[in-house]
Amino acid sequence: MYEQHVQICAMYKSLLTVSECPPLGLESLKVKDNQLRASSYKRRGLGPHRGRLNIQSGVDDGDIYDGGWCAQYRDKMQWLEVDALRLTRFIGVILQGRSSIWSWNVVHTYKVQFSNDSLVWKPCMNGTEEAVFEGNQDTETPVLALFSTSTVARYIRINPQTWYQNGTQGDICLRAEVLGCTLPDPNNIYAWQTQPTESKDKLDFRHHNYKEMRKLMKSVNEACPDITRIYSIGKSYTGLKLYVMEISDNPGKHELGEPEFRYVAGMHGNEVLGRELLLNLMQYMCQEYKQGDQRIVHLVTETRIHLLPSMNPDGYEMAFKKGSELAGWGFGRYSYEGIDMNHNFADLNSGMWSAIELATDQSKLINHYFPIPEQYTSEEAFVASETRAVINWMQNIPFVLSANLHGGELVVVYPFDMTRDWAPHEHTPTADESFFRWLATVYASTNQVMSNPDRRPCHNKDFIRYNNIINGAAWHNVPGSMNDFSYLHTNCFEVTVELSCDKFPHASELPIEWENNRESLLVYMEQVHRGIKGVVRDKDTEAGIADAIIKVDDIDHHIRSVTDGDYWRLLNPGEYQVTVSAEGYFPSSRTCQVMYDHYPTICDFRLTKMPKQRLKDILARGGKLPKDLQLRLAAEQLREQFLA
């Protein structure tokens, strides 16, 4: 039988090189649960289907979501088996210990066997002796073992030989990935029925380090100079620039009535898929715009789009040097200073909720544009330079809608992310709960993996039960999140998209990940045009009024007009009573109807100045008072005397 393997190897020698083979997909779930078997397992939560690289356990040991495969018995006859389904040239194994808060289980050494029928097994050899591979010394660091010679087979077994004993209580537990190149099947005449691994779009599908990212962005700018602009919003701790690609028909300036949109990726440096998707997106939009794709042309001409592919370039560079399968779950997550930027924005929630509890007159409470606490802005505050740069960016550009791209799960998370009473998890809605649920659903329902009802949960929570969307605080408490800060400090609505189970997918998986997310990325951007928009102007001068407050009845969250008086209020279809007020002006109200169309309802407002404000303006210019103003001021003075 194994002589046949040698012949098959020779047959495909011209097709296969000695270059690195990709992972089979235990971590990415490309390998299905029914392809994994084991000699034994302690219980369902520690079954072979849990023996996947980087799989994360739940909080409680003993549930169905434990952190690895654990054998029932403690002897050298235990094994974890992977069925590759087809003949595969196996080149190596990556091993990791069990993920657990309460237990410490690692395999120190192991052997490997191969088979073509799962009955007759051949050991992996090192010369004339059976090879013994080094495993793990800790539970989190992935350890790669490459075979001295590759072997073609269908099945592979990992057979632990020594493990952490913990006296006599040490269990055999592991998480694994297998590296191998699947061989072409000469009997498969229906190749078109196999799962696609490529994309029809001609994009640069690979992982880009800092220099390569900068080079790619420059090439997009050179290909589409009329609709793109590259700018930097600041620097990382080590001095790497935080580059943004702007896509607009008038790059470099805010156009009256045109909403501003942003995507942010790479807040956690080791969650890399978002970075590559944004690089793909800017290439795709450039190509499609030049080809006259009307959907893309409309997006570019009606929206000012900003793409920040790497908020944490220092962390990414660390993870990139380790490689996609060897970075582990946490390496590169934090900034160079060790800051988790997902918890690094000013906590405005606590101040808001404290004010609500202490207030005697709820009508005097603010519900938007919460100021940043003074202690947070000091130079001594433990705030990453990257976080400060993003906050400054938010304050300088009137963003309307955003998404923060993460990895390690498959779910769309909407605010609030922080629980009100510091509970570990508790549903904590914003005043715009219904619209945030719509935004989350738009992305999740168009994502090819999330929307698959038969998909397997990634780690320890079944988000399919929630239609792949969840309130952030209902999942876990995240004080200082960018989503909450954006909602409370600016006009911008933001969600978090967890893009994949695997934080650092292998480069071979990037084309299909683009296919999974392309429609979601586009349709989510289009939601910036849902709701109402308009311009708030002075009735007499027609000048735009900045900082006018736009209030929608029954939604306790206001927004404000920007420099030229334009505003955007994201809303679901329906009829709304909208009131606009500004300092020195009489308020104005009107009914605005939001339809199901893919464009916003125009609701402009013209405000009349109060007499005292007109007086101040005229006197400031050294002008004379018109008669109507003299009469109104006199009438107001008489009324005040009468009331006194």
Side-chain angles (χ1 to χ4, degrees):
M1 182 174 293
Y2 277 87
E3 287 73 10
Q4 293 176 344
H5 287 175
V6 174
Q7 294 172 358
I8 292 170
C9 243
M11 183 192 311
Y12 293 116
K13 188 173 182 181
S14 61
L15 300 174
L16 295 171
T17 67
V18 294
S19 62
E20 179 189 0
C21 289
L24 292 190
L26 275 77
E27 181 178 11
S28 68
L29 305 186
K30 185 177 178 181
V31 171
K32 307 304 180 186
D33 286 352
N34 60 11
Q35 293 175 246
L36 300 172
R37 290 201 313 143
S39 53
S40 65
Y41 54 92
K42 292 190 71 175
R43 50 183 166 76
R44 166 122 182 104
L46 292 168
H49 65 294
R50 301 295 293 176
R52 300 171 180 272
L53 187 73
N54 283 322
I55 202 164
Q56 299 298 295
S57 67
V59 175
D60 302 315
D61 275 5
D63 63 11
I64 62 170
Y65 298 118
D66 219 315
W69 161 67
C70 288
Q72 182 178 0
Y73 307 107
R74 303 183 183 108
D75 59 49
K76 295 184 179 182
M77 303 301 291
Q78 304 307 305
W79 44 261
L80 176 69
E81 178 183 304
V82 182
D83 178 3
L85 299 181
R86 286 167 51 186
L87 289 177
T88 300
R89 183 168 66 94
F90 294 111
I91 67 164
V93 167
I94 299 172
L95 215 64
Q96 197 176 33
R98 174 185 175 187
S99 167
S100 173
I101 298 174
W102 314 106
S103 304
W104 178 277
N105 301 111
V106 295
V107 168
H108 294 314
T109 61
Y110 62 98
K111 295 180 179 179
V112 173
Q113 293 97 35
F114 307 101
S115 175
N116 195 39
D117 58 8
S118 79
L119 298 174
V120 178
W121 292 87
K122 176 184 176 182
C124 182
M125 303 297 288
N126 183 15
T128 58
E129 297 182 350
E130 187 171 0
V132 178
F133 299 98
E134 291 293 324
N136 303 100
Q137 298 303 315
D138 64 71
T139 59
E140 288 303 316
T141 305
V143 175
L144 169 66
L146 292 174
F147 308 145
S148 58
T149 57
S150 61
T151 299
V152 174
R154 172 175 166 175
Y155 301 89
I156 183 172
R157 277 183 180 175
I158 299 168
N159 172 211
Q161 296 297 296
T162 60
W163 52 92
Y164 176 63
Q165 294 291 340
N166 192 23
T168 59
Q169 303 302 309
D171 289 319
I172 299 172
C173 301
L174 60 84
R175 294 175 286 170
E177 183 60 89
V178 175
L179 305 181
C181 295
T182 304
L183 303 185
D185 184 357
N187 298 315
N188 182 15
I189 60 174
Y190 301 109
W192 54 271
Q193 291 183 334
T194 60
Q195 186 177 2
T197 58
E198 296 298 326
S199 169
K200 62 183 178 62
D201 299 320
K202 304 303 180 184
L203 308 175
D204 189 5
F205 293 117
R206 61 192 176 95
H207 290 294
H208 298 78
N209 63 18
Y210 178 75
K211 290 182 179 179
E212 292 165 340
M213 179 190 75
R214 189 172 57 182
K215 184 178 179 181
L216 185 147
M217 293 176 73
K218 184 180 178 183
S219 70
V220 172
N221 177 238
E222 290 172 347
C224 293
D226 295 335
I227 63 164
T228 63
R229 178 177 73 102
I230 301 171
Y231 66 96
S232 170
I233 62 171
K235 293 182 178 180
S236 70
Y237 183 83
T238 65
L240 301 181
K241 290 184 177 180
L242 307 183
Y243 285 115
V244 176
M245 175 67 78
E246 178 189 342
I247 303 176
S248 168
D249 60 339
N250 284 293
K253 67 175 184 177
H254 173 72
E255 295 182 74
L256 188 71
E258 186 168 287
E260 309 260 0
F261 177 92
R262 72 171 181 259
Y263 272 130
V264 177
M267 171 182 277
H268 293 145
N270 64 329
E271 297 170 15
V272 306
L273 181 56
R275 174 193 184 102
E276 297 307 324
L277 288 177
L278 292 192
L279 295 177
N280 294 154
L281 181 61
M282 60 182 73
Q283 295 174 77
Y284 177 80
M285 293 189 73
C286 172
Q287 292 174 9
E288 294 301 304
Y289 182 86
K290 291 169 73 174
Q291 292 174 11
D293 182 327
Q294 286 306 297
R295 184 185 190 185
I296 301 304
V297 169
H298 183 265
L299 263 174
V300 172
T301 56
E302 300 297 325
T303 321
R304 190 179 180 209
I305 300 162
H306 306 258
L307 309 178
L308 172 60
S310 187
M311 181 178 167
N312 180 8
D314 294 346
Y316 176 85
E317 292 300 302
M318 290 189 287
F320 179 82
K321 288 173 183 175
K322 283 276 187 179
S324 63
E325 315 310 316
L326 300 177
W329 190 251
F331 190 76
R333 173 187 177 92
Y334 305 105
S335 73
Y336 190 86
E337 301 168 272
I339 296 174
D340 186 341
M341 296 180 208
N342 202 35
H343 297 259
N344 197 224
F345 287 78
D347 169 17
L348 305 180
N349 307 55
S350 296
M352 173 184 67
W353 290 323
S354 296
I356 291 172
E357 291 174 3
L358 297 172
T360 54
D361 184 355
Q362 298 286 326
S363 65
K364 293 183 179 180
L365 291 172
I366 61 171
N367 63 14
H368 69 296
Y369 273 43
F370 288 87
I372 299 175
E374 188 176 339
Q375 66 270 20
Y376 182 89
T377 60
S378 70
E379 292 185 6
E380 291 74 30
F382 196 51
V383 181
S385 55
E386 298 89 341
T387 307
R388 294 184 192 273
V390 169
I391 290 175
N392 188 56
W393 187 39
M394 290 178 172
Q395 293 171 332
N396 288 335
I397 295 177
F399 292 112
V400 178
L401 180 62
S402 173
N404 183 11
L405 307 183
H406 284 238
E409 258 300 348
L410 276 167
V411 65
V412 183
V413 185
Y414 62 89
F416 286 122
D417 291 331
M418 181 181 179
T419 58
R420 185 161 180 167
D421 298 313
W422 291 86
H425 51 85
E426 181 178 50
H427 187 90
T428 311
T430 67
D432 288 281
E433 167 87 354
S434 62
F435 192 80
F436 273 118
R437 287 183 62 84
W438 166 258
L439 288 174
T441 301
V442 161
Y443 199 102
S445 63
T446 54
N447 181 279
Q448 293 186 17
V449 179
M450 290 187 204
S451 59
N452 179 3
D454 299 321
R455 76 172 179 87
R456 178 195 188 282
C458 290
H459 298 284
N460 51 52
K461 196 171 183 68
D462 185 3
F463 290 111
I464 305 168
R465 295 168 50 200
Y466 308 98
N467 294 317
N468 305 296
I469 70 171
I470 193 168
N471 172 260
W475 183 12
H476 54 255
N477 183 32
V478 182
S481 79
M482 187 161 72
N483 290 359
D484 289 3
F485 179 86
S486 182
Y487 182 70
L488 294 176
H489 186 64
T490 75
N491 287 336
C492 186
F493 288 25
E494 180 173 278
V495 303
T496 291
V497 183
E498 298 281 354
L499 292 163
S500 65
C501 301
D502 187 349
K503 287 187 175 184
F504 202 141
H506 190 270
S508 62
E509 297 169 19
L510 294 178
I512 195 63
E513 289 291 4
W514 166 249
E515 290 294 317
N516 291 338
N517 286 278
R518 179 183 57 223
E519 177 61 22
S520 306
L521 290 165
L522 295 175
V523 75
Y524 185 82
M525 281 194 288
E526 291 168 339
Q527 302 315 301
V528 77
H529 296 285
R530 182 176 289 272
I532 62 175
K533 76 172 186 177
V535 182
V536 183
R537 301 182 189 274
D538 184 299
K539 186 177 180 181
D540 297 322
T541 67
E542 289 295 310
I545 301 173
D547 277 331
I549 297 174
I550 291 85
K551 173 187 176 183
V552 179
D553 279 7
D554 301 323
I555 300 179
D556 188 22
H557 182 80
H558 309 336
I559 57 116
R560 298 195 187 193
S561 62
V562 299
T563 305
D564 297 322
D566 45 347
Y567 77 92
W568 307 263
R569 183 50 165 104
L570 299 176
L571 293 166
N572 283 323
E575 186 174 280
Y576 299 92
Q577 187 69 16
V578 182
T579 301
V580 173
S581 60
E583 187 177 353
Y585 290 86
F586 291 106
S588 176
S589 298
R590 61 175 292 190
T591 300
C592 300
Q593 184 84 27
V594 178
M595 309 303 288
Y596 285 87
D597 304 312
H598 294 293
Y599 51 84
T601 299
I602 306 299
C603 278
D604 292 328
F605 289 84
R606 284 171 170 75
L607 303 187
T608 302
K609 271 184 185 169
M610 292 178 177
K612 288 185 177 180
Q613 185 63 41
R614 287 183 67 192
L615 174 61
K616 287 180 183 178
D617 293 346
I618 291 170
L619 293 176
R621 295 195 302 267
K624 294 181 180 181
L625 297 184
K627 286 186 178 181
D628 70 313
L629 182 54
Q630 293 177 29
L631 291 172
R632 292 187 69 173
L633 288 170
E636 189 171 323
Q637 192 173 21
L638 284 172
R639 187 171 67 252
E640 289 176 355
Q641 290 173 356
F642 176 77
L643 293 173

Coordinates of all heavy atoms in Angstrom, one line a residue, residues 179-222:
L179 N -0.2 20.6 8.7 CA 0.2 21.2 7.4 C 0.3 20.2 6.3 O 0.9 19.1 6.5 CB 1.6 21.9 7.6 CG 1.7 22.9 8.8 CD1 3.1 23.5 8.8 CD2 0.6 24.0 8.6
G180 N -0.3 20.5 5.2 CA -0.3 19.5 4.1 C -0.9 20.1 2.8 O -1.7 21.0 2.8
C181 N -0.3 19.6 1.7 CA -0.8 20.0 0.4 C -1.7 18.9 -0.2 O -1.3 17.8 -0.4 CB 0.3 20.2 -0.6 SG 1.4 21.6 -0.1
T182 N -3.0 19.3 -0.4 CA -3.9 18.3 -1.0 C -3.6 18.0 -2.4 O -3.4 18.9 -3.2 CB -5.4 18.8 -0.9 OG1 -5.7 19.1 0.5 CG2 -6.4 17.8 -1.4
L183 N -3.5 16.8 -2.8 CA -3.2 16.4 -4.1 C -4.4 16.4 -5.1 O -5.5 16.1 -4.6 CB -2.5 15.0 -4.2 CG -1.3 14.8 -3.3 CD1 -0.8 13.4 -3.5 CD2 -0.2 15.8 -3.5
P184 N -4.2 16.8 -6.3 CA -5.3 16.7 -7.3 C -5.8 15.3 -7.4 O -5.1 14.3 -7.3 CB -4.6 17.2 -8.6 CG -3.4 17.9 -8.2 CD -2.9 17.2 -6.9
D185 N -7.1 15.2 -7.5 CA -7.8 13.9 -7.6 C -8.1 13.6 -9.1 O -8.9 14.2 -9.7 CB -9.2 14.0 -6.8 CG -9.9 12.7 -6.8 OD1 -9.3 11.7 -7.4 OD2 -10.9 12.6 -6.2
P186 N -7.3 12.6 -9.6 CA -7.5 12.3 -11.1 C -8.9 11.7 -11.4 O -9.3 11.7 -12.5 CB -6.4 11.3 -11.3 CG -6.1 10.7 -10.0 CD -6.3 11.8 -9.0
N187 N -9.6 11.3 -10.3 CA -10.9 10.7 -10.6 C -12.0 11.7 -10.4 O -13.2 11.3 -10.7 CB -11.2 9.5 -9.5 CG -10.1 8.4 -9.7 OD1 -9.9 8.0 -10.8 ND2 -9.6 8.0 -8.6
N188 N -11.7 12.9 -10.1 CA -12.7 14.0 -9.9 C -13.0 14.7 -11.2 O -12.3 15.6 -11.6 CB -12.3 15.0 -8.8 CG -13.3 16.0 -8.5 OD1 -14.5 15.9 -8.9 ND2 -12.9 17.1 -7.9
I189 N -14.0 14.2 -11.9 CA -14.4 14.9 -13.2 C -15.4 16.0 -13.0 O -15.7 16.7 -13.9 CB -15.0 13.8 -14.2 CG1 -16.3 13.2 -13.6 CG2 -13.9 12.8 -14.5 CD1 -17.0 12.3 -14.5
Y190 N -15.8 16.2 -11.7 CA -16.7 17.3 -11.4 C -16.0 18.3 -10.5 O -16.5 18.6 -9.4 CB -18.0 16.8 -10.7 CG -18.7 15.8 -11.6 CD1 -18.7 14.4 -11.2 CD2 -19.4 16.2 -12.7 CE1 -19.4 13.5 -12.0 CE2 -20.1 15.3 -13.5 CZ -20.1 13.9 -13.1 OH -20.7 13.0 -13.9
A191 N -14.8 18.8 -10.9 CA -14.1 19.7 -10.1 C -14.8 21.0 -9.8 O -14.6 21.6 -8.7 CB -12.7 20.0 -10.8
W192 N -15.7 21.3 -10.6 CA -16.5 22.6 -10.4 C -17.4 22.5 -9.2 O -17.9 23.5 -8.7 CB -17.3 22.9 -11.7 CG -18.2 21.8 -12.1 CD1 -17.9 20.8 -13.0 CD2 -19.6 21.6 -11.7 NE1 -19.0 20.0 -13.1 CE2 -20.0 20.4 -12.4 CE3 -20.5 22.2 -10.9 CZ2 -21.3 19.9 -12.2 CZ3 -21.7 21.7 -10.7 CH2 -22.2 20.6 -11.4
Q193 N -17.7 21.3 -8.7 CA -18.5 21.1 -7.6 C -17.8 21.2 -6.2 O -18.4 21.3 -5.2 CB -19.2 19.7 -7.6 CG -20.2 19.6 -8.7 CD -20.9 18.2 -8.7 OE1 -20.4 17.3 -8.2 NE2 -22.1 18.2 -9.2
T194 N -16.5 21.3 -6.3 CA -15.7 21.4 -5.0 C -15.8 22.8 -4.5 O -16.1 23.7 -5.2 CB -14.2 21.0 -5.3 OG1 -13.7 21.9 -6.3 CG2 -14.1 19.6 -5.8
Q195 N -15.5 22.9 -3.2 CA -15.5 24.2 -2.6 C -14.5 25.2 -3.2 O -13.4 24.9 -3.4 CB -15.2 24.1 -1.1 CG -15.4 25.4 -0.3 CD -15.2 25.2 1.2 OE1 -14.9 24.1 1.6 NE2 -15.4 26.2 2.0
P196 N -15.0 26.4 -3.6 CA -14.0 27.3 -4.2 C -13.0 27.8 -3.3 O -13.2 28.0 -2.1 CB -14.9 28.5 -4.7 CG -16.1 28.4 -3.7 CD -16.3 27.0 -3.4
T197 N -11.8 28.0 -3.8 CA -10.7 28.5 -2.9 C -10.1 29.8 -3.5 O -9.2 30.4 -2.9 CB -9.5 27.4 -2.9 OG1 -9.1 27.2 -4.2 CG2 -10.0 26.2 -2.2
E198 N -10.6 30.3 -4.6 CA -10.1 31.5 -5.2 C -11.2 32.5 -5.4 O -12.4 32.2 -5.1 CB -9.5 31.1 -6.6 CG -8.3 30.2 -6.6 CD -7.2 30.8 -5.8 OE1 -7.0 32.0 -5.8 OE2 -6.4 30.0 -5.2
S199 N -10.8 33.7 -5.8 CA -11.8 34.8 -6.0 C -11.7 35.2 -7.5 O -10.6 35.1 -8.1 CB -11.5 36.0 -5.1 OG -12.2 37.1 -5.5
K200 N -12.8 35.6 -8.0 CA -12.8 36.1 -9.4 C -12.2 37.5 -9.5 O -11.8 37.9 -10.6 CB -14.2 36.2 -10.0 CG -15.2 37.1 -9.2 CD -16.6 37.1 -9.8 CE -17.5 38.0 -9.0 NZ -17.1 39.4 -9.1
D201 N -12.0 38.2 -8.4 CA -11.4 39.5 -8.4 C -9.9 39.4 -8.4 O -9.3 38.5 -7.7 CB -11.9 40.3 -7.2 CG -13.4 40.5 -7.2 OD1 -13.9 40.8 -8.2 OD2 -14.0 40.4 -6.1
K202 N -9.3 40.2 -9.2 CA -7.8 40.1 -9.4 C -7.2 41.1 -8.4 O -6.9 42.3 -8.7 CB -7.4 40.5 -10.8 CG -8.0 39.6 -11.9 CD -7.7 38.1 -11.6 CE -8.4 37.2 -12.7 NZ -8.1 35.8 -12.4
L203 N -7.0 40.6 -7.1 CA -6.5 41.5 -6.1 C -5.2 40.8 -5.5 O -4.9 39.7 -5.8 CB -7.6 41.6 -5.0 CG -8.9 42.1 -5.4 CD1 -9.9 42.1 -4.3 CD2 -8.8 43.5 -6.1
D204 N -4.5 41.6 -4.7 CA -3.3 41.1 -4.1 C -3.5 40.3 -2.8 O -3.5 40.9 -1.7 CB -2.4 42.3 -3.8 CG -1.0 41.9 -3.5 OD1 -0.6 40.7 -3.5 OD2 -0.2 42.8 -3.1
F205 N -3.8 39.0 -3.0 CA -4.2 38.2 -1.8 C -3.0 37.6 -1.2 O -2.5 36.6 -1.5 CB -5.1 37.1 -2.3 CG -6.5 37.5 -2.8 CD1 -6.8 37.3 -4.1 CD2 -7.3 38.2 -1.9 CE1 -8.1 37.7 -4.5 CE2 -8.6 38.6 -2.4 CZ -9.0 38.4 -3.7
R206 N -2.4 38.4 -0.2 CA -1.3 37.9 0.6 C -1.3 38.8 1.9 O -1.9 39.8 1.9 CB 0.0 37.9 -0.1 CG 0.4 39.3 -0.6 CD 1.6 39.2 -1.6 NE 1.9 40.5 -2.1 CZ 2.9 41.3 -1.6 NH1 3.6 41.0 -0.6 NH2 3.1 42.5 -2.2
H207 N -0.5 38.4 2.8 CA -0.3 39.2 4.0 C 0.8 40.3 3.7 O 1.8 40.0 3.2 CB 0.1 38.4 5.2 CG -1.0 37.5 5.7 ND1 -2.1 38.0 6.3 CD2 -1.1 36.1 5.7 CE1 -2.9 37.0 6.6 NE2 -2.4 35.9 6.3
H208 N 0.4 41.5 4.1 CA 1.3 42.7 3.8 C 1.9 43.2 5.1 O 1.1 43.7 6.0 CB 0.5 43.8 3.1 CG 0.0 43.4 1.8 ND1 -1.2 42.6 1.7 CD2 0.4 43.6 0.5 CE1 -1.4 42.4 0.4 NE2 -0.5 43.0 -0.3
N209 N 3.2 43.2 5.3 CA 3.8 43.9 6.4 C 3.7 45.4 6.2 O 3.1 45.9 5.2 CB 5.2 43.4 6.7 CG 6.2 43.8 5.6 OD1 5.9 44.6 4.7 ND2 7.3 43.1 5.5
Y210 N 4.3 46.2 7.1 CA 4.1 47.7 7.0 C 4.6 48.2 5.7 O 3.9 49.0 5.0 CB 4.9 48.3 8.2 CG 4.8 49.8 8.2 CD1 3.6 50.5 8.6 CD2 5.9 50.6 7.8 CE1 3.6 51.9 8.6 CE2 5.9 52.0 7.9 CZ 4.7 52.6 8.2 OH 4.7 54.0 8.3
K211 N 5.8 47.8 5.3 CA 6.3 48.4 4.0 C 5.5 47.9 2.8 O 5.2 48.7 1.9 CB 7.8 47.9 3.8 CG 8.7 48.6 4.8 CD 10.2 48.1 4.6 CE 11.1 48.8 5.5 NZ 12.5 48.4 5.3
E212 N 5.1 46.7 2.8 CA 4.3 46.2 1.7 C 2.9 46.8 1.7 O 2.3 47.1 0.6 CB 4.1 44.7 1.8 CG 5.5 44.0 1.6 CD 5.4 42.5 2.0 OE1 4.6 42.2 2.9 OE2 6.3 41.7 1.6
M213 N 2.3 47.1 2.9 CA 1.0 47.8 2.9 C 1.1 49.2 2.3 O 0.3 49.6 1.6 CB 0.5 47.9 4.4 CG -0.8 48.6 4.6 SD -1.1 48.9 6.3 CE 0.0 50.3 6.7
R214 N 2.2 49.9 2.7 CA 2.4 51.3 2.2 C 2.6 51.2 0.7 O 2.0 52.1 0.0 CB 3.6 51.8 2.9 CG 3.8 53.3 2.7 CD 4.9 53.8 3.6 NE 6.2 53.1 3.4 CZ 7.3 53.4 4.1 NH1 7.3 54.3 5.0 NH2 8.4 52.7 3.9
K215 N 3.3 50.3 0.2 CA 3.5 50.1 -1.2 C 2.2 49.9 -2.0 O 2.0 50.5 -3.0 CB 4.5 49.0 -1.5 CG 4.9 48.9 -2.9 CD 6.0 47.8 -3.1 CE 6.4 47.6 -4.6 NZ 7.3 46.5 -4.7
L216 N 1.4 49.0 -1.4 CA 0.1 48.7 -2.1 C -0.8 49.9 -2.1 O -1.4 50.2 -3.1 CB -0.6 47.5 -1.3 CG -1.9 47.0 -2.0 CD1 -2.0 45.5 -1.8 CD2 -3.1 47.7 -1.4
M217 N -0.9 50.6 -1.0 CA -1.7 51.8 -0.9 C -1.2 52.8 -1.9 O -2.1 53.5 -2.6 CB -1.7 52.4 0.5 CG -2.4 51.5 1.5 SD -2.3 52.1 3.2 CE -3.5 53.5 3.2
K218 N 0.1 53.0 -2.1 CA 0.6 53.9 -3.1 C 0.2 53.5 -4.5 O -0.1 54.4 -5.3 CB 2.1 54.0 -2.9 CG 2.8 55.0 -3.8 CD 4.3 55.0 -3.7 CE 4.9 56.1 -4.6 NZ 6.4 56.0 -4.5
S219 N 0.2 52.2 -4.7 CA -0.1 51.7 -6.1 C -1.6 52.0 -6.4 O -1.9 52.3 -7.5 CB 0.2 50.2 -6.2 OG -0.7 49.4 -5.4
V220 N -2.4 51.9 -5.4 CA -3.9 52.2 -5.6 C -4.1 53.7 -5.9 O -4.8 54.1 -6.8 CB -4.7 51.7 -4.4 CG1 -6.1 52.2 -4.5 CG2 -4.7 50.2 -4.2
N221 N -3.3 54.5 -5.1 CA -3.4 55.9 -5.3 C -2.9 56.3 -6.7 O -3.5 57.2 -7.4 CB -2.6 56.6 -4.2 CG -2.6 58.1 -4.4 OD1 -1.5 58.7 -4.5 ND2 -3.7 58.8 -4.4
E222 N -1.9 55.7 -7.2 CA -1.4 56.0 -8.5 C -2.3 55.5 -9.6 O -2.4 56.1 -10.7 CB 0.0 55.4 -8.7 CG 1.1 56.0 -7.8 CD 2.4 55.3 -7.9 OE1 2.4 54.1 -8.3 OE2 3.4 55.8 -7.4

